[in-house]
Amino acid sequence: MTHHPKERPNSLSRRGFLLRSAGAAAAFSGVDGLLAACGNTTSVPQGLAGPGGLPLARPDKRVTLPRWEDPIKSGLKPETGGTFTVFNYPSYLYKKVLNDFGAKYGVQVQYTPFDNVNSGLQRLASGGVTPDVMEITPDTLDIGVAGKLIKPLNLDYIPNLQKNIWPQLVDPFYDGESRYTVPYTCYATGIAWRADQIKKDIAGMDQPWDIFWESQAYKGKVALLSENRETIGMALLRKGITDINTEDPALVNQAVSDLKELYAVCNIKVDDLQYQTVPEGSSWLHQAWSGDMIAGYIYYLPKGTPASALAYWKAPRGKVPVQSDCFAICSTTKKPVLSHLFLNYLLDNGVAYENFVDFNGYQPPLNEIDPSTLVQKGVVPENLANSVLTNDDFGPDSLQYGTLTSRGQQLWEDGYSNFLAGGGS
Amino acid sequence: MYRRWLWPGLALPGVLWLVLLFVVPFYAVLGVALGKVDPILFQPVPIWNPLEWNVGWLNEVLSRLAPGGIWFDVGVRTIVYVLVSLALCLLIGYPVAYYAARHAGRWKGVILILIILPLWISYMMRMLAWVNLLQADGYVNRFLMFTHVLSQPRDWLGGSASTVIFALVYGYIPYLILPLFASLDRIDRSHLEAARDLGASPWSAFRTVTLPLSKTGILGGAVLITLPMFGDYYTPNIVSGSPKTSMIGNQIDLYFHGGPQPTIGAALTIVLAAFLTILMLYYMWSIHRAQREVGAVGAL
């Protein structure tokens, strides 16, 4: 999966079920049921399936996930009192937004962080946490559904989805009919650099990703994201391979081999601190998510350093990986109605904008947000306007990291392990 | 009867402690390393019955660590970093412990407090503090340029092995000094006086009396710092971030970080533990031998 920088108690029956099935996911009777319920809009690559045997969603292969239980009925009153728990990356949601929600509905809002969505789902399945809502990503969605860890939504409670959110993400390819998720933030993967240190016209290069292989002069100041999908995916894109969900060992191994060349070129580093290190100047060239530069400009650019010192490039649609982080309701919730209202609350124009501009730096996919408005308001400097995404960045011909088969995930993880080991390039 | 059970009874809390906090968790790691993976959640599914253990992951890890395997370099690098760090810790720590034990007089307590003082702050915070100090415009570069040791700022955080080793030494050296101090402080001065009375030079007395008598402290301290160093992953992460300075602990961290193969991480942990067990056995054998030698010296 692609991790984000901010980088139901598992029922005995399900656990017993898993063990009895001797690991053959597709053989689970529950999963068979789920598969049988998949809509016609789904497209399963021949012989390939994701966790639990669910079809693999791709931007050009929409999947409508089966509901493993009925959503709650419409018109119910929200639960009040007690604690409402949000399970998310650390520091990825504005405390004021949470407190305001708690005050509005008379609950104490608790924020429980996880390292990444995968480990968060594992904690959820183990019963170690019992949150009401959690962040989830499109490439981990299958795990949440197949594991019955997240609940189907009743969109009657979430009118802001239709009203405020980009059409491409109202009924997204990874979750047709928005049966389980609503979008939270969106971002693209590109290159961030210090324009005051690197004079080369990176955006004007035939293949801007080549800059990492031509970065001898910036040795020690060059870094890639610390994520297996992003690093290997970038090496694939550099070679013109746009299938960033490939499970071809030859392609993945070649990408890893290319990445290892960077040891000698620039003593490449890996970290997810680009939103801080680039503005502060300790990193000059960094693979980065678009939101990093907005957050970096807002929070980390030292006084006296002009915004023009920061630069960001992302490829045009069809060549740039774009992602959307989502929110879902956990099966552990004791407040299902309130959880729906929380999702609706997050999609409120005012709330989403406040969370974005006053805290997060990662933009919500709101219709009312567009690059020129943000530049006019001074939220984003003009030279970073290209780090703001629009509805047009998403669509069937866009690139998104999707769920891989179990074998594919192992291939990418082992490839990244090879790169991270720093052995013979 | 009462006396017969008294002394073994005193060991009971320690035995229970070991069983609960070492044997059981270690067996759990073993069960994970030789177990299965949940195909949906990628959670490890431990196998508790040794007869059903699956050694496939273990074989996979061993093949990766073998010459030509993808982890061979990182394995060798880890051993080199730990050995160099240990040598530097001894070079720096032994004189400090020696001075504190033998010559500090009334300052002994103050020196001990100063050695322990950094441990009051978490390891992570201390490392993060060094990240600030080692920045291009940080105080370390400023000082070295002010004293003309450097003519221009050095890129300490650019992913160099020396910075990682320095950080390991800084982070772990107090744990070496303390047992060394205890060992040196216990040495009976009459042994040294006897050596000097018999014509030994200060160096000769140190080499033939102090050093052998402090061997248990050296070995104890060495074990105390090398074991965590072998599993360290946050130090290279914080002060370097380069794959060329990553250690074996980084691989364990990677595979335990929510990916599809936690069993690989567990199997690597087992292999590392087996390697460290060999070192521990050597330590125990050395301690046994050193104690016999001490006994012999004492008998003289």
Side-chain angles (χ1 to χ4, degrees):
Chain A
M1 66 154 290
T2 42
H3 301 305
H4 199 272
K6 295 296 183 182
E7 296 201 350
R8 104 217 139 151
N10 189 19
S11 69
L12 282 174
S13 58
R14 201 194 72 80
R15 163 62 64 195
F17 192 46
L18 284 172
L19 293 174
R20 281 198 306 275
S21 65
F28 300 153
S29 60
V31 172
D32 283 345
L34 289 177
L35 283 172
C38 282
N40 290 331
T41 51
T42 60
S43 172
V44 187
Q46 192 68 35
L48 296 182
L54 291 174
L56 298 171
R58 297 290 181 264
D60 60 345
K61 288 170 183 163
R62 189 164 168 273
V63 165
T64 303
L65 292 162
R67 295 187 180 99
W68 62 269
E69 69 171 15
D70 290 331
I72 58 168
K73 290 190 174 6
S74 301
L76 300 174
K77 285 191 174 171
E79 304 84 0
T80 54
T83 303
F84 182 82
T85 305
V86 179
F87 197 34
N88 197 359
Y89 285 100
S91 306
Y92 196 35
L93 222 166
Y94 194 12
K95 195 169 189 300
K96 178 179 179 296
V97 163
L98 296 174
N99 290 342
D100 288 351
F101 179 79
K104 186 174 179 183
Y105 290 102
V107 288
Q108 182 77 31
V109 180
Q110 179 178 302
Y111 194 83
T112 303
F114 52 59
D115 289 336
N116 57 57
V117 177
N118 270 338
S119 62
L121 286 167
Q122 288 179 358
R123 282 171 65 193
L124 187 63
S126 70
V129 288
T130 54
D132 294 286
V133 293
M134 74 175 291
E135 168 160 338
I136 198 161
T137 45
D139 59 338
T140 54
L141 185 54
D142 284 4
I143 298 174
V145 174
K148 300 182 180 177
L149 302 174
I150 56 173
K151 292 171 81 71
L153 302 179
N154 177 344
L155 297 183
D156 288 350
Y157 291 98
I158 314 176
N160 284 338
L161 178 66
Q162 283 284 349
K163 198 169 79 178
N164 299 337
I165 299 301
W166 294 341
Q168 292 285 6
L169 295 177
V170 167
D171 182 17
F173 73 91
Y174 52 82
D175 185 19
E177 301 172 16
S178 292
R179 287 186 168 187
Y180 287 93
T181 63
V182 297
Y184 172 53
T185 57
C186 58
Y187 47 94
T189 311
I191 302 172
W193 71 96
R194 288 293 297 230
D196 54 345
Q197 301 291 347
I198 297 177
K199 299 302 175 192
K200 198 159 186 168
D201 178 15
I202 294 174
M205 291 170 68
D206 288 342
Q207 175 48 279
W209 291 119
D210 278 340
I211 187 65
F212 288 100
W213 279 260
E214 297 170 14
S215 60
Q216 291 86 345
Y218 326 123
K219 200 166 189 167
K221 305 278 190 188
V222 187
L224 298 178
L225 292 170
S226 174
E227 317 288 343
N228 70 51
R229 299 300 300 277
E230 295 284 11
T231 45
I232 295 172
M234 182 274 281
L236 289 170
L237 289 170
R238 174 180 168 251
K239 289 282 178 76
I241 299 159
T242 51
D243 181 8
I244 54 173
N245 297 304
T246 181
E247 300 197 6
D248 180 345
L251 290 178
V252 172
N253 291 338
Q254 181 57 51
V256 171
S257 181
D258 292 346
L259 287 170
K260 289 168 75 123
E261 291 173 5
L262 296 175
Y263 304 152
V265 172
C266 57
N267 194 12
I268 191 76
K269 298 166 78 167
V270 288
D271 64 59
D272 288 340
L273 300 171
Q274 60 285 349
Y275 54 89
Q276 180 178 356
T277 57
V278 175
E280 287 180 353
S282 56
S283 183
W284 292 354
L285 178 66
H286 208 305
Q287 186 186 19
W289 290 295
S290 51
D292 294 326
M293 284 304 93
I294 301 174
Y297 164 72
I298 296 172
Y299 295 111
Y300 293 100
L301 194 66
K303 276 184 183 171
T305 305
S308 58
L310 301 178
Y312 186 77
W313 168 86
K314 70 176 195 294
R317 189 168 81 166
K319 292 184 177 176
V320 58
V322 288
Q323 301 291 325
S324 55
D325 287 354
C326 307
F327 256 90
I329 297 176
C330 303
S331 307
T332 45
T333 185
K334 297 280 194 294
K335 298 181 170 65
V337 182
L338 192 62
S339 296
H340 278 79
L341 298 185
F342 181 80
L343 266 51
N344 191 53
Y345 174 77
L346 279 184
L347 303 182
D348 175 84
N349 279 329
V351 171
Y353 187 80
E354 182 182 25
N355 185 46
F356 165 45
V357 172
D358 292 345
F359 182 73
N360 195 327
Y362 276 74
Q363 72 174 101
L366 295 180
N367 290 320
E368 71 168 28
I369 287 183
D370 69 86
S372 56
T373 311
L374 290 177
V375 171
Q376 273 173 10
K377 288 182 176 175
V379 175
V380 177
E382 197 162 359
N383 58 308
L384 295 178
N386 64 346
S387 55
V388 181
L389 272 63
T390 67
N391 179 60
D392 292 340
D393 287 306
F394 290 79
D397 59 345
S398 65
L399 298 186
Q400 292 201 43
Y401 292 106
T403 310
L404 300 175
T405 66
S406 176
R407 198 170 163 188
Q409 292 191 47
Q410 290 173 17
L411 176 71
W412 283 67
E413 185 175 55
D414 289 342
Y416 186 67
S417 159
N418 188 356
F419 167 59
L420 198 64
S425 54
Chain B
M1 185 67 180
Y2 167 75
R3 287 186 170 227
R4 186 179 163 197
W5 291 106
L6 175 64
W7 303 119
L10 290 177
L12 195 62
V15 172
L16 283 176
W17 178 271
L18 270 178
V19 168
L20 286 176
L21 296 179
F22 176 73
V23 178
V24 172
F26 189 80
Y27 192 76
V29 175
L30 211 57
V32 169
L34 304 170
K36 295 176 182 173
V37 178
D38 178 318
I40 293 179
L41 297 164
F42 301 128
Q43 276 182 314
V45 180
I47 293 179
W48 303 117
N49 182 355
L51 297 174
E52 295 174 10
W53 277 349
N54 162 28
V55 295
W57 300 110
L58 216 48
N59 289 337
E60 171 68 21
V61 164
L62 289 171
S63 71
R64 291 184 189 192
L65 284 166
I70 62 169
W71 290 345
F72 179 70
D73 284 359
V74 73
V76 171
R77 186 185 309 129
T78 303
I79 292 170
V80 170
Y81 281 12
V82 170
L83 290 180
V84 172
S85 301
L86 173 62
L88 287 171
C89 281
L90 281 170
L91 274 174
I92 299 165
Y94 197 98
V96 173
Y98 186 85
Y99 176 79
R102 307 300 300 275
H103 300 292
R106 64 195 173 97
W107 294 102
K108 188 186 282 188
V110 176
I111 290 174
L112 278 180
I113 288 173
L114 289 174
I115 292 168
I116 295 169
L117 207 56
L119 304 181
W120 292 1
I121 303 166
S122 85
Y123 186 93
M124 204 73 85
M125 291 302 294
R126 283 185 285 142
M127 286 299 142
L128 288 170
W130 273 107
V131 169
N132 277 316
L133 294 170
L134 293 172
Q135 295 279 1
D137 60 349
Y139 285 112
V140 171
N141 271 333
R142 283 192 210 177
F143 175 75
L144 293 174
M145 287 171 69
F146 175 74
T147 54
H148 299 286
V149 175
L150 293 177
S151 57
Q152 56 183 9
R154 184 186 145 99
D155 188 9
W156 298 99
L157 301 171
S160 66
S162 57
T163 305
V164 175
I165 290 171
F166 162 80
L168 288 172
V169 170
Y170 166 76
Y172 289 100
I173 200 167
Y175 300 104
L176 177 84
I177 292 176
L178 291 176
L180 256 179
F181 168 82
S183 168
L184 287 163
D185 198 43
R186 278 203 306 267
I187 295 175
D188 190 341
R189 284 175 185 268
S190 61
H191 292 152
L192 290 170
E193 287 163 5
R196 297 300 302 276
D197 289 348
L198 291 169
S201 64
W203 167 245
S204 180
F206 171 78
R207 191 172 52 81
T208 56
V209 179
T210 307
L211 198 58
L213 289 177
S214 60
K215 195 175 173 184
T216 51
I218 294 172
L219 288 169
V223 164
L224 214 55
I225 66 170
T226 50
L227 295 188
M229 270 191 210
F230 269 112
D232 195 327
Y233 65 93
Y234 33 86
T235 304
N237 268 359
I238 292 173
V239 301
S240 167
S242 166
K244 292 299 280 182
T245 59
S246 68
M247 296 170 70
I248 206 76
N250 293 95
Q251 293 291 338
I252 295 174
D253 176 47
L254 171 70
Y255 280 92
F256 271 128
H257 213 69
Q261 302 173 97
T263 38
I264 291 268
L268 184 52
T269 305
I270 294 296
V271 171
L272 186 61
F275 174 69
L276 296 176
T277 302
I278 295 170
L279 296 184
M280 277 298 289
L281 289 174
Y282 172 74
Y283 162 73
M284 289 165 72
W285 175 75
S286 299
I287 287 287
H288 181 65
R289 208 176 64 167
Q291 282 173 339
R292 271 198 322 207
E293 285 169 1
V294 170
V297 171
L300 290 174

